[in-house]
Amino acid sequence: MSDARSPAGREQGAREQRLGWGPLLSQMVRYGIFGGTGALADFLTFTALHTWFNTPVVATNVVSILVGISVSFLLNSRLTFATTDHPRRRAVRFLSVGLAGMAVSSALIELMVGPLGLDAVLAKLITVPVIALLQFAANRWWTFGPIRES
Protein backbone atom coordinates (compact mmCIF):
# COMPACT_ATOMS: atom_id res chain seq x y z
CA MET A 1 0.00 0.00 0.00
CA SER A 2 1.31 3.46 -0.86
CA ASP A 3 1.88 6.09 1.79
CA ALA A 4 -0.13 8.69 -0.17
CA ARG A 5 -2.90 8.35 2.44
CA SER A 6 -0.55 8.92 5.37
CA PRO A 7 -0.67 12.32 7.09
CA ALA A 8 2.61 13.33 5.41
CA GLY A 9 1.32 12.19 2.02
CA ARG A 10 -1.97 14.09 2.44
CA GLU A 11 -0.11 17.19 3.60
CA GLN A 12 2.25 16.97 0.64
CA GLY A 13 -0.70 16.61 -1.78
CA ALA A 14 -2.51 19.56 -0.21
CA ARG A 15 0.64 21.68 -0.44
CA GLU A 16 0.99 20.80 -4.15
CA GLN A 17 -2.62 21.83 -4.80
CA ARG A 18 -2.22 25.12 -2.88
CA LEU A 19 0.87 25.97 -4.90
CA GLY A 20 -0.85 25.04 -8.14
CA TRP A 21 1.76 22.38 -8.96
CA GLY A 22 0.85 19.04 -10.36
CA PRO A 23 2.20 16.00 -8.55
CA LEU A 24 4.58 15.22 -11.40
CA LEU A 25 6.17 18.67 -11.44
CA SER A 26 6.49 18.71 -7.67
CA GLN A 27 8.13 15.28 -7.68
CA MET A 28 10.47 16.30 -10.49
CA VAL A 29 11.63 19.31 -8.51
CA ARG A 30 12.25 17.27 -5.36
CA TYR A 31 13.84 14.47 -7.37
CA GLY A 32 16.07 17.05 -9.01
CA ILE A 33 17.16 18.42 -5.65
CA PHE A 34 17.71 15.06 -3.95
CA GLY A 35 18.89 13.32 -7.09
CA GLY A 36 21.24 16.26 -7.55
CA THR A 37 22.56 15.63 -4.07
CA GLY A 38 23.17 11.98 -5.01
CA ALA A 39 24.71 13.05 -8.31
CA LEU A 40 26.97 15.49 -6.48
CA ALA A 41 28.08 12.70 -4.13
CA ASP A 42 28.69 10.54 -7.23
CA PHE A 43 30.62 13.28 -9.05
CA LEU A 44 32.76 14.26 -6.04
CA THR A 45 33.56 10.61 -5.30
CA PHE A 46 34.48 10.01 -8.95
CA THR A 47 36.63 13.14 -9.13
CA ALA A 48 38.44 12.41 -5.86
CA LEU A 49 39.18 8.77 -6.67
CA HIS A 50 40.27 9.48 -10.24
CA THR A 51 42.31 12.59 -9.41
CA TRP A 52 43.95 11.56 -6.15
CA PHE A 53 44.34 7.82 -6.69
CA ASN A 54 44.38 7.61 -10.50
CA THR A 55 41.97 4.68 -10.39
CA PRO A 56 40.72 3.19 -13.67
CA VAL A 57 37.84 5.19 -15.13
CA VAL A 58 35.18 2.47 -15.25
CA ALA A 59 35.99 1.09 -11.77
CA THR A 60 35.92 4.61 -10.39
CA ASN A 61 32.56 5.19 -12.06
CA VAL A 62 31.11 2.03 -10.49
CA VAL A 63 32.15 3.03 -6.97
CA SER A 64 31.01 6.63 -7.34
CA ILE A 65 27.62 5.65 -8.76
CA LEU A 66 26.99 3.24 -5.87
CA VAL A 67 27.67 6.10 -3.45
CA GLY A 68 25.29 8.34 -5.38
CA ILE A 69 22.58 5.65 -5.55
CA SER A 70 22.70 5.16 -1.78
CA VAL A 71 22.40 8.87 -1.03
CA SER A 72 19.64 9.31 -3.60
CA PHE A 73 17.55 6.34 -2.39
CA LEU A 74 17.63 7.49 1.23
CA LEU A 75 16.46 10.99 0.31
CA ASN A 76 14.01 10.19 -2.49
CA SER A 77 12.20 7.29 -0.84
CA ARG A 78 11.18 9.49 2.08
CA LEU A 79 11.11 13.03 0.75
CA THR A 80 10.24 12.82 -2.96
CA PHE A 81 7.91 9.86 -3.21
CA ALA A 82 6.87 9.67 0.48
CA THR A 83 6.91 5.89 0.25
CA THR A 84 7.98 3.67 3.09
CA ASP A 85 6.12 0.46 2.26
CA HIS A 86 7.99 -2.55 0.81
CA PRO A 87 11.41 -1.05 1.62
CA ARG A 88 13.46 -4.06 0.47
CA ARG A 89 11.59 -4.43 -2.80
CA ARG A 90 11.83 -0.72 -3.52
CA ALA A 91 15.53 -0.65 -2.61
CA VAL A 92 16.19 -3.53 -5.03
CA ARG A 93 14.24 -1.75 -7.76
CA PHE A 94 16.03 1.53 -7.08
CA LEU A 95 19.37 -0.26 -7.19
CA SER A 96 18.36 -1.98 -10.46
CA VAL A 97 17.51 1.37 -12.04
CA GLY A 98 20.77 2.79 -10.70
CA LEU A 99 22.81 -0.13 -12.04
CA ALA A 100 21.17 0.18 -15.45
CA GLY A 101 22.08 3.86 -15.40
CA MET A 102 25.59 2.94 -14.33
CA ALA A 103 25.96 0.55 -17.28
CA VAL A 104 24.80 3.19 -19.75
CA SER A 105 26.91 5.87 -18.08
CA SER A 106 30.01 3.67 -18.07
CA ALA A 107 29.59 2.82 -21.75
CA LEU A 108 29.13 6.49 -22.65
CA ILE A 109 32.13 7.56 -20.56
CA GLU A 110 34.31 4.85 -22.09
CA LEU A 111 33.24 5.98 -25.56
CA MET A 112 33.89 9.65 -24.80
CA VAL A 113 37.27 9.06 -23.12
CA GLY A 114 38.54 6.40 -25.55
CA PRO A 115 37.60 7.04 -29.19
CA LEU A 116 36.49 10.66 -28.70
CA GLY A 117 39.43 11.63 -26.47
CA LEU A 118 37.48 13.72 -23.94
CA ASP A 119 38.73 14.29 -20.41
CA ALA A 120 37.25 11.70 -18.02
CA VAL A 121 35.78 14.27 -15.63
CA LEU A 122 34.16 16.18 -18.51
CA ALA A 123 32.75 12.92 -19.89
CA LYS A 124 31.27 12.13 -16.48
CA LEU A 125 29.75 15.61 -16.23
CA ILE A 126 28.07 15.15 -19.63
CA THR A 127 26.48 11.82 -18.70
CA VAL A 128 25.00 12.86 -15.34
CA PRO A 129 21.94 14.88 -16.57
CA VAL A 130 21.06 12.36 -19.30
CA ILE A 131 21.10 9.43 -16.90
CA ALA A 132 19.23 11.43 -14.22
CA LEU A 133 16.25 12.08 -16.51
CA LEU A 134 16.00 8.45 -17.55
CA GLN A 135 16.24 7.30 -13.96
CA PHE A 136 13.56 9.73 -12.75
CA ALA A 137 11.07 8.20 -15.17
CA ALA A 138 11.95 4.63 -14.21
CA ASN A 139 11.92 5.35 -10.48
CA ARG A 140 8.68 7.29 -10.53
CA TRP A 141 6.67 4.70 -12.39
CA TRP A 142 8.39 1.45 -11.44
CA THR A 143 10.38 1.77 -8.21
CA PHE A 144 7.95 3.98 -6.30
CA GLY A 145 4.78 3.09 -8.18
CA PRO A 146 2.18 0.71 -6.82
CA ILE A 147 3.48 -2.74 -5.94
CA ARG A 148 1.10 -5.62 -6.49
CA GLU A 149 1.09 -8.29 -3.85
CA SER A 150 1.95 -11.72 -5.26
Side-chain angles (χ1 to χ4, degrees):
M1 179 170 122
S2 174
D3 289 346
R5 295 185 201 156
S6 70
R10 284 192 304 271
E11 180 181 324
Q12 177 180 319
R15 184 173 49 249
E16 290 167 357
Q17 286 179 341
R18 280 193 311 272
L19 295 173
W21 297 353
L24 179 63
L25 179 59
S26 179
Q27 282 183 335
M28 286 181 77
V29 169
R30 286 190 307 271
Y31 188 86
I33 292 167
F34 302 128
T37 303
L40 181 61
D42 173 357
F43 184 72
L44 292 175
T45 301
F46 180 90
T47 301
L49 290 174
H50 182 70
T51 304
W52 296 337
F53 301 106
N54 198 28
T55 55
V57 174
V58 173
T60 303
N61 195 49
V62 169
V63 170
S64 71
I65 287 175
L66 290 173
V67 169
I69 288 171
S70 299
V71 168
S72 187
F73 178 74
L74 291 172
L75 293 171
N76 279 307
S77 63
R78 295 284 183 161
L79 303 174
T80 300
F81 299 105
T83 304
T84 57
D85 64 328
H86 305 286
R88 286 186 197 100
R89 223 183 261 179
R90 293 190 190 283
V92 168
R93 287 181 176 191
F94 197 86
L95 179 61
S96 298
V97 169
L99 293 176
M102 180 174 60
V104 173
S105 173
S106 294
L108 290 173
I109 288 172
E110 187 64 28
L111 173 69
M112 287 187 266
V113 170
L116 300 179
L118 288 181
D119 176 71
V121 174
L122 177 60
K124 176 66 176 181
L125 190 60
I126 291 168
T127 65
V128 167
V130 174
I131 300 304
L133 287 173
L134 295 172
Q135 288 177 322
F136 170 76
N139 281 318
R140 184 179 194 285
W141 285 286
W142 185 57
T143 304
F144 295 107
I147 292 182
R148 295 182 206 161
E149 296 298 325
S150 345

Short mmCIF file of all heavy atoms in Angstrom, two decimals, residues 35-93:
data_model
loop_
_atom_site.label_atom_id
_atom_site.label_comp_id
_atom_site.label_asym_id
_atom_site.label_seq_id
_atom_site.Cartn_x
_atom_site.Cartn_y
_atom_site.Cartn_z
N GLY A 35 18.08 14.04 -6.11
CA GLY A 35 18.89 13.32 -7.09
C GLY A 35 20.17 14.09 -7.38
O GLY A 35 21.24 13.51 -7.57
N GLY A 36 20.05 15.42 -7.38
CA GLY A 36 21.24 16.26 -7.55
C GLY A 36 22.23 16.08 -6.41
O GLY A 36 23.44 16.08 -6.62
N THR A 37 21.70 15.90 -5.22
CA THR A 37 22.56 15.63 -4.07
C THR A 37 23.29 14.30 -4.25
O THR A 37 24.50 14.20 -4.01
CB THR A 37 21.74 15.62 -2.76
OG1 THR A 37 21.07 16.88 -2.64
CG2 THR A 37 22.62 15.38 -1.55
N GLY A 38 22.55 13.28 -4.71
CA GLY A 38 23.17 11.98 -5.01
C GLY A 38 24.18 12.09 -6.14
O GLY A 38 25.26 11.50 -6.10
N ALA A 39 23.80 12.86 -7.18
CA ALA A 39 24.71 13.05 -8.31
C ALA A 39 25.97 13.80 -7.89
O ALA A 39 27.07 13.49 -8.35
CB ALA A 39 24.00 13.80 -9.44
N LEU A 40 25.81 14.76 -6.99
CA LEU A 40 26.97 15.49 -6.48
C LEU A 40 27.88 14.54 -5.69
O LEU A 40 29.11 14.58 -5.85
CB LEU A 40 26.54 16.67 -5.61
CG LEU A 40 27.67 17.52 -5.03
CD1 LEU A 40 28.50 18.16 -6.15
CD2 LEU A 40 27.09 18.59 -4.11
N ALA A 41 27.28 13.69 -4.87
CA ALA A 41 28.08 12.70 -4.13
C ALA A 41 28.80 11.78 -5.11
O ALA A 41 29.99 11.46 -4.93
CB ALA A 41 27.18 11.89 -3.19
N ASP A 42 28.11 11.37 -6.16
CA ASP A 42 28.69 10.54 -7.23
C ASP A 42 29.86 11.28 -7.88
O ASP A 42 30.98 10.76 -7.97
CB ASP A 42 27.58 10.23 -8.24
CG ASP A 42 28.03 9.52 -9.51
OD1 ASP A 42 29.23 9.28 -9.72
OD2 ASP A 42 27.14 9.21 -10.32
N PHE A 43 29.61 12.51 -8.32
CA PHE A 43 30.62 13.28 -9.05
C PHE A 43 31.85 13.57 -8.18
O PHE A 43 32.99 13.42 -8.63
CB PHE A 43 30.02 14.59 -9.56
CG PHE A 43 30.97 15.40 -10.39
CD1 PHE A 43 31.31 15.00 -11.67
CD2 PHE A 43 31.53 16.56 -9.88
CE1 PHE A 43 32.20 15.74 -12.44
CE2 PHE A 43 32.41 17.31 -10.64
CZ PHE A 43 32.75 16.90 -11.93
N LEU A 44 31.63 13.96 -6.93
CA LEU A 44 32.76 14.26 -6.04
C LEU A 44 33.56 12.99 -5.72
O LEU A 44 34.80 13.04 -5.67
CB LEU A 44 32.26 14.91 -4.75
CG LEU A 44 31.69 16.33 -4.91
CD1 LEU A 44 31.11 16.82 -3.59
CD2 LEU A 44 32.72 17.29 -5.46
N THR A 45 32.86 11.87 -5.54
CA THR A 45 33.56 10.61 -5.30
C THR A 45 34.39 10.22 -6.52
O THR A 45 35.56 9.85 -6.40
CB THR A 45 32.55 9.49 -4.95
OG1 THR A 45 31.80 9.88 -3.80
CG2 THR A 45 33.26 8.17 -4.70
N PHE A 46 33.77 10.33 -7.70
CA PHE A 46 34.48 10.01 -8.95
C PHE A 46 35.72 10.89 -9.10
O PHE A 46 36.82 10.41 -9.37
CB PHE A 46 33.55 10.21 -10.16
CG PHE A 46 34.19 9.90 -11.48
CD1 PHE A 46 34.12 8.62 -12.02
CD2 PHE A 46 34.86 10.88 -12.20
CE1 PHE A 46 34.71 8.32 -13.24
CE2 PHE A 46 35.46 10.60 -13.42
CZ PHE A 46 35.38 9.31 -13.94
N THR A 47 35.53 12.19 -8.94
CA THR A 47 36.63 13.14 -9.13
C THR A 47 37.76 12.88 -8.13
O THR A 47 38.94 12.86 -8.51
CB THR A 47 36.11 14.58 -9.00
OG1 THR A 47 35.09 14.79 -9.98
CG2 THR A 47 37.23 15.59 -9.21
N ALA A 48 37.41 12.65 -6.88
CA ALA A 48 38.44 12.41 -5.86
C ALA A 48 39.21 11.12 -6.14
O ALA A 48 40.45 11.12 -6.12
CB ALA A 48 37.79 12.35 -4.47
N LEU A 49 38.49 10.04 -6.42
CA LEU A 49 39.18 8.77 -6.67
C LEU A 49 40.06 8.83 -7.92
O LEU A 49 41.19 8.36 -7.93
CB LEU A 49 38.15 7.63 -6.81
CG LEU A 49 37.42 7.22 -5.54
CD1 LEU A 49 36.34 6.20 -5.86
CD2 LEU A 49 38.40 6.67 -4.51
N HIS A 50 39.51 9.42 -8.99
CA HIS A 50 40.27 9.48 -10.24
C HIS A 50 41.47 10.43 -10.14
O HIS A 50 42.56 10.12 -10.62
CB HIS A 50 39.37 9.90 -11.40
CG HIS A 50 40.06 9.93 -12.71
ND1 HIS A 50 40.47 8.78 -13.36
CD2 HIS A 50 40.46 10.96 -13.49
CE1 HIS A 50 41.07 9.11 -14.49
NE2 HIS A 50 41.08 10.42 -14.59
N THR A 51 41.25 11.57 -9.50
CA THR A 51 42.31 12.59 -9.41
C THR A 51 43.39 12.22 -8.41
O THR A 51 44.58 12.30 -8.70
CB THR A 51 41.69 13.95 -9.05
OG1 THR A 51 40.69 14.28 -10.02
CG2 THR A 51 42.74 15.04 -9.01
N TRP A 52 42.99 11.81 -7.22
CA TRP A 52 43.95 11.56 -6.15
C TRP A 52 44.59 10.19 -6.23
O TRP A 52 45.73 10.01 -5.83
CB TRP A 52 43.31 11.73 -4.79
CG TRP A 52 42.85 13.14 -4.51
CD1 TRP A 52 43.30 14.28 -5.09
CD2 TRP A 52 41.84 13.53 -3.59
NE1 TRP A 52 42.64 15.37 -4.60
CE2 TRP A 52 41.72 14.94 -3.67
CE3 TRP A 52 41.01 12.84 -2.72
CZ2 TRP A 52 40.82 15.66 -2.89
CZ3 TRP A 52 40.12 13.57 -1.94
CH2 TRP A 52 40.04 14.96 -2.04
N PHE A 53 43.83 9.18 -6.70
CA PHE A 53 44.34 7.82 -6.69
C PHE A 53 44.56 7.24 -8.08
O PHE A 53 45.00 6.11 -8.22
CB PHE A 53 43.40 6.90 -5.88
CG PHE A 53 43.24 7.36 -4.47
CD1 PHE A 53 42.06 7.97 -4.06
CD2 PHE A 53 44.26 7.19 -3.54
CE1 PHE A 53 41.90 8.41 -2.76
CE2 PHE A 53 44.10 7.62 -2.24
CZ PHE A 53 42.91 8.24 -1.84
N ASN A 54 44.21 8.03 -9.11
CA ASN A 54 44.38 7.61 -10.50
C ASN A 54 43.79 6.21 -10.76
O ASN A 54 44.39 5.38 -11.44
CB ASN A 54 45.85 7.66 -10.91
CG ASN A 54 46.02 7.68 -12.41
OD1 ASN A 54 45.15 8.16 -13.14
ND2 ASN A 54 47.13 7.14 -12.89
N THR A 55 42.63 5.97 -10.20
CA THR A 55 41.97 4.68 -10.39
C THR A 55 41.42 4.57 -11.80
O THR A 55 41.15 5.59 -12.44
CB THR A 55 40.82 4.52 -9.36
OG1 THR A 55 39.93 5.63 -9.50
CG2 THR A 55 41.34 4.43 -7.95
N PRO A 56 41.26 3.36 -12.32
CA PRO A 56 40.72 3.19 -13.67
C PRO A 56 39.33 3.83 -13.78
O PRO A 56 38.53 3.77 -12.84
CB PRO A 56 40.64 1.68 -13.84
CG PRO A 56 41.60 1.12 -12.84
CD PRO A 56 41.62 2.09 -11.70
N VAL A 57 39.06 4.40 -14.93
CA VAL A 57 37.84 5.19 -15.13
C VAL A 57 36.56 4.39 -14.85
O VAL A 57 35.69 4.86 -14.11
CB VAL A 57 37.82 5.77 -16.57
CG1 VAL A 57 36.52 6.46 -16.86
CG2 VAL A 57 38.98 6.73 -16.76
N VAL A 58 36.43 3.22 -15.41
CA VAL A 58 35.18 2.47 -15.25
C VAL A 58 35.02 2.00 -13.80
O VAL A 58 33.94 2.10 -13.22
CB VAL A 58 35.08 1.30 -16.25
CG1 VAL A 58 33.88 0.43 -15.96
CG2 VAL A 58 35.00 1.85 -17.68
N ALA A 59 36.08 1.51 -13.17
CA ALA A 59 35.99 1.09 -11.77
C ALA A 59 35.63 2.27 -10.87
O ALA A 59 34.82 2.14 -9.95
CB ALA A 59 37.32 0.46 -11.32
N THR A 60 36.22 3.40 -11.15
CA THR A 60 35.92 4.61 -10.39
C THR A 60 34.45 4.99 -10.56
O THR A 60 33.77 5.36 -9.60
CB THR A 60 36.83 5.77 -10.85
OG1 THR A 60 38.18 5.36 -10.69
CG2 THR A 60 36.57 7.03 -10.06
N ASN A 61 33.96 4.88 -11.78
CA ASN A 61 32.56 5.19 -12.06
C ASN A 61 31.62 4.27 -11.29
O ASN A 61 30.61 4.70 -10.75
CB ASN A 61 32.29 5.11 -13.56
CG ASN A 61 31.00 5.77 -13.95
OD1 ASN A 61 30.72 6.89 -13.56
ND2 ASN A 61 30.19 5.06 -14.71
N VAL A 62 31.95 2.99 -11.21
CA VAL A 62 31.11 2.03 -10.49
C VAL A 62 31.01 2.42 -9.01
O VAL A 62 29.92 2.49 -8.44
CB VAL A 62 31.66 0.59 -10.65
CG1 VAL A 62 30.97 -0.37 -9.70
CG2 VAL A 62 31.51 0.13 -12.10
N VAL A 63 32.14 2.67 -8.38
CA VAL A 63 32.15 3.03 -6.97
C VAL A 63 31.39 4.33 -6.74
O VAL A 63 30.54 4.42 -5.84
CB VAL A 63 33.60 3.14 -6.44
CG1 VAL A 63 33.63 3.75 -5.04
CG2 VAL A 63 34.27 1.78 -6.46
N SER A 64 31.65 5.33 -7.55
CA SER A 64 31.01 6.63 -7.34
C SER A 64 29.50 6.56 -7.56
O SER A 64 28.73 7.19 -6.82
CB SER A 64 31.64 7.70 -8.23
OG SER A 64 31.30 7.53 -9.59
N ILE A 65 29.06 5.78 -8.52
CA ILE A 65 27.62 5.65 -8.76
C ILE A 65 26.95 4.94 -7.59
O ILE A 65 25.85 5.32 -7.18
CB ILE A 65 27.34 4.95 -10.10
CG1 ILE A 65 27.64 5.93 -11.24
CG2 ILE A 65 25.90 4.47 -10.18
CD1 ILE A 65 27.52 5.34 -12.61
N LEU A 66 27.58 3.92 -7.03
CA LEU A 66 26.99 3.24 -5.87
C LEU A 66 26.84 4.19 -4.68
O LEU A 66 25.84 4.13 -3.95
CB LEU A 66 27.82 2.01 -5.50
CG LEU A 66 27.73 0.85 -6.51
CD1 LEU A 66 28.71 -0.25 -6.12
CD2 LEU A 66 26.31 0.32 -6.61
N VAL A 67 27.79 5.08 -4.50
CA VAL A 67 27.67 6.10 -3.45
C VAL A 67 26.48 7.00 -3.76
O VAL A 67 25.63 7.26 -2.89
CB VAL A 67 28.97 6.92 -3.31
CG1 VAL A 67 28.76 8.14 -2.43
CG2 VAL A 67 30.11 6.06 -2.79
N GLY A 68 26.39 7.47 -4.99
CA GLY A 68 25.29 8.34 -5.38
C GLY A 68 23.93 7.67 -5.27
O GLY A 68 22.95 8.28 -4.82
N ILE A 69 23.84 6.40 -5.65
CA ILE A 69 22.58 5.65 -5.55
C ILE A 69 22.14 5.56 -4.10
O ILE A 69 20.95 5.75 -3.78
CB ILE A 69 22.74 4.23 -6.16
CG1 ILE A 69 22.83 4.31 -7.68
CG2 ILE A 69 21.57 3.33 -5.74
CD1 ILE A 69 23.22 2.98 -8.34
N SER A 70 23.04 5.29 -3.21
CA SER A 70 22.70 5.16 -1.78
C SER A 70 22.16 6.47 -1.22
O SER A 70 21.12 6.49 -0.56
CB SER A 70 23.93 4.72 -0.98
OG SER A 70 24.38 3.47 -1.43
N VAL A 71 22.84 7.56 -1.50
CA VAL A 71 22.40 8.87 -1.03
C VAL A 71 21.03 9.20 -1.62
O VAL A 71 20.10 9.62 -0.92
CB VAL A 71 23.44 9.96 -1.39
CG1 VAL A 71 22.89 11.35 -1.17
CG2 VAL A 71 24.72 9.75 -0.61
N SER A 72 20.88 8.99 -2.91
CA SER A 72 19.64 9.31 -3.60
C SER A 72 18.46 8.49 -3.10
O SER A 72 17.35 9.01 -2.91
CB SER A 72 19.83 9.11 -5.10
OG SER A 72 18.71 9.56 -5.81
N PHE A 73 18.65 7.18 -2.87
CA PHE A 73 17.55 6.34 -2.39
C PHE A 73 17.08 6.81 -1.01
O PHE A 73 15.88 6.93 -0.77
CB PHE A 73 17.94 4.87 -2.32
CG PHE A 73 16.83 4.00 -1.78
CD1 PHE A 73 15.73 3.71 -2.55
CD2 PHE A 73 16.88 3.51 -0.49
CE1 PHE A 73 14.67 2.94 -2.06
CE2 PHE A 73 15.84 2.73 0.02
CZ PHE A 73 14.74 2.45 -0.77
N LEU A 74 18.01 7.07 -0.13
CA LEU A 74 17.63 7.49 1.23
C LEU A 74 16.80 8.77 1.20
O LEU A 74 15.79 8.88 1.89
CB LEU A 74 18.88 7.68 2.08
CG LEU A 74 19.64 6.40 2.43
CD1 LEU A 74 20.97 6.73 3.11
CD2 LEU A 74 18.79 5.50 3.32
N LEU A 75 17.19 9.72 0.38
CA LEU A 75 16.46 10.99 0.31
C LEU A 75 15.15 10.87 -0.47
O LEU A 75 14.11 11.34 -0.02
CB LEU A 75 17.35 12.07 -0.32
CG LEU A 75 18.57 12.48 0.50
CD1 LEU A 75 19.48 13.38 -0.32
CD2 LEU A 75 18.16 13.15 1.79
N ASN A 76 15.20 10.24 -1.64
CA ASN A 76 14.01 10.19 -2.49
C ASN A 76 12.91 9.29 -1.96
O ASN A 76 11.73 9.60 -2.12
CB ASN A 76 14.39 9.77 -3.91
CG ASN A 76 14.92 10.92 -4.71
OD1 ASN A 76 14.29 11.96 -4.79
ND2 ASN A 76 16.10 10.75 -5.28
N SER A 77 13.25 8.19 -1.33
CA SER A 77 12.20 7.29 -0.84
C SER A 77 11.33 7.99 0.20
O SER A 77 10.12 7.81 0.22
CB SER A 77 12.79 6.01 -0.28
OG SER A 77 13.62 6.27 0.83
N ARG A 78 11.93 8.80 1.03
CA ARG A 78 11.18 9.49 2.08
C ARG A 78 10.64 10.84 1.65
O ARG A 78 9.51 11.18 1.95
CB ARG A 78 12.08 9.72 3.30
CG ARG A 78 12.54 8.48 3.98
CD ARG A 78 11.44 7.91 4.80
NE ARG A 78 11.92 6.74 5.52
CZ ARG A 78 11.31 6.26 6.56
NH1 ARG A 78 10.23 6.83 7.01
NH2 ARG A 78 11.77 5.20 7.15
N LEU A 79 11.46 11.63 0.96
CA LEU A 79 11.11 13.03 0.75
C LEU A 79 10.51 13.35 -0.63
O LEU A 79 9.80 14.33 -0.76
CB LEU A 79 12.36 13.89 0.99
CG LEU A 79 12.98 13.72 2.38
CD1 LEU A 79 14.30 14.48 2.47
CD2 LEU A 79 12.02 14.16 3.46
N THR A 80 10.81 12.56 -1.64
CA THR A 80 10.24 12.82 -2.96
C THR A 80 8.97 12.03 -3.17
O THR A 80 7.95 12.57 -3.57
CB THR A 80 11.26 12.48 -4.07
OG1 THR A 80 12.41 13.29 -3.89
CG2 THR A 80 10.66 12.72 -5.45
N PHE A 81 9.04 10.74 -2.91
CA PHE A 81 7.91 9.86 -3.21
C PHE A 81 7.11 9.50 -1.97
O PHE A 81 6.07 8.84 -2.08
CB PHE A 81 8.41 8.60 -3.93
CG PHE A 81 9.09 8.94 -5.23
CD1 PHE A 81 10.47 8.88 -5.35
CD2 PHE A 81 8.36 9.34 -6.33
CE1 PHE A 81 11.11 9.21 -6.54
CE2 PHE A 81 8.99 9.67 -7.53
CZ PHE A 81 10.36 9.60 -7.63
N ALA A 82 7.56 9.92 -0.79
CA ALA A 82 6.87 9.67 0.48
C ALA A 82 6.39 8.23 0.58
O ALA A 82 5.24 7.96 0.91
CB ALA A 82 5.71 10.65 0.66
N THR A 83 7.27 7.31 0.28
CA THR A 83 6.91 5.89 0.25
C THR A 83 7.83 5.13 1.20
O THR A 83 9.04 5.15 1.03
CB THR A 83 7.07 5.33 -1.18
OG1 THR A 83 6.27 6.12 -2.06
CG2 THR A 83 6.63 3.90 -1.27
N THR A 84 7.20 4.47 2.16
CA THR A 84 7.98 3.67 3.09
C THR A 84 7.56 2.21 3.09
O THR A 84 8.15 1.40 3.81
CB THR A 84 7.87 4.24 4.53
OG1 THR A 84 6.49 4.29 4.90
CG2 THR A 84 8.47 5.63 4.61
N ASP A 85 6.55 1.85 2.30
CA ASP A 85 6.12 0.46 2.26
C ASP A 85 7.07 -0.35 1.38
O ASP A 85 7.74 0.20 0.52
CB ASP A 85 4.68 0.34 1.73
CG ASP A 85 4.52 0.81 0.30
OD1 ASP A 85 5.25 1.74 -0.10
OD2 ASP A 85 3.68 0.25 -0.43
N HIS A 86 7.15 -1.63 1.58
CA HIS A 86 7.99 -2.55 0.81
C HIS A 86 9.42 -2.03 0.65
O HIS A 86 9.94 -1.95 -0.47
CB HIS A 86 7.38 -2.80 -0.58
CG HIS A 86 5.98 -3.28 -0.56
ND1 HIS A 86 5.65 -4.56 -0.20
CD2 HIS A 86 4.81 -2.64 -0.86
CE1 HIS A 86 4.33 -4.71 -0.27
NE2 HIS A 86 3.80 -3.56 -0.66
N PRO A 87 10.09 -1.68 1.75
CA PRO A 87 11.41 -1.05 1.62
C PRO A 87 12.44 -1.92 0.90
O PRO A 87 13.23 -1.39 0.11
CB PRO A 87 11.82 -0.78 3.07
CG PRO A 87 10.98 -1.67 3.90
CD PRO A 87 9.70 -1.88 3.15
N ARG A 88 12.46 -3.22 1.14
CA ARG A 88 13.46 -4.06 0.47
C ARG A 88 13.20 -4.13 -1.03
O ARG A 88 14.12 -4.01 -1.83
CB ARG A 88 13.46 -5.47 1.06
CG ARG A 88 14.10 -5.54 2.42
CD ARG A 88 14.20 -6.98 2.92
NE ARG A 88 14.44 -6.99 4.34
CZ ARG A 88 13.50 -7.19 5.25
NH1 ARG A 88 12.26 -7.47 4.91
NH2 ARG A 88 13.82 -7.17 6.54
N ARG A 89 11.94 -4.34 -1.39
CA ARG A 89 11.59 -4.43 -2.80
C ARG A 89 11.91 -3.12 -3.53
O ARG A 89 12.45 -3.12 -4.63
CB ARG A 89 10.09 -4.74 -2.94
CG ARG A 89 9.80 -5.77 -3.99
CD ARG A 89 8.32 -5.98 -4.14
NE ARG A 89 7.91 -7.15 -3.39
CZ ARG A 89 6.68 -7.59 -3.32
NH1 ARG A 89 5.71 -6.93 -3.93
NH2 ARG A 89 6.39 -8.66 -2.64
N ARG A 90 11.57 -2.02 -2.90
CA ARG A 90 11.83 -0.72 -3.52
C ARG A 90 13.34 -0.44 -3.60
O ARG A 90 13.81 0.12 -4.58
CB ARG A 90 11.10 0.38 -2.77
CG ARG A 90 9.59 0.24 -2.93
CD ARG A 90 8.85 1.45 -2.40
NE ARG A 90 7.42 1.22 -2.33
CZ ARG A 90 6.59 1.25 -3.37
NH1 ARG A 90 7.05 1.48 -4.58
NH2 ARG A 90 5.29 1.04 -3.20
N ALA A 91 14.07 -0.84 -2.59
CA ALA A 91 15.53 -0.65 -2.61
C ALA A 91 16.15 -1.47 -3.74
O ALA A 91 17.04 -0.98 -4.46
CB ALA A 91 16.14 -1.03 -1.27
N VAL A 92 15.67 -2.70 -3.94
CA VAL A 92 16.19 -3.53 -5.03
C VAL A 92 15.84 -2.91 -6.37
O VAL A 92 16.68 -2.87 -7.29
CB VAL A 92 15.66 -4.99 -4.92
CG1 VAL A 92 15.95 -5.78 -6.18
CG2 VAL A 92 16.28 -5.67 -3.70
N ARG A 93 14.63 -2.41 -6.51
CA ARG A 93 14.24 -1.75 -7.76
C ARG A 93 15.07 -0.50 -8.01
O ARG A 93 15.52 -0.25 -9.12
CB ARG A 93 12.74 -1.41 -7.75
CG ARG A 93 11.84 -2.61 -7.90
CD ARG A 93 10.40 -2.20 -7.92
NE ARG A 93 9.54 -3.36 -8.16
CZ ARG A 93 8.26 -3.28 -8.43
NH1 ARG A 93 7.66 -2.10 -8.48
NH2 ARG A 93 7.56 -4.37 -8.65
#
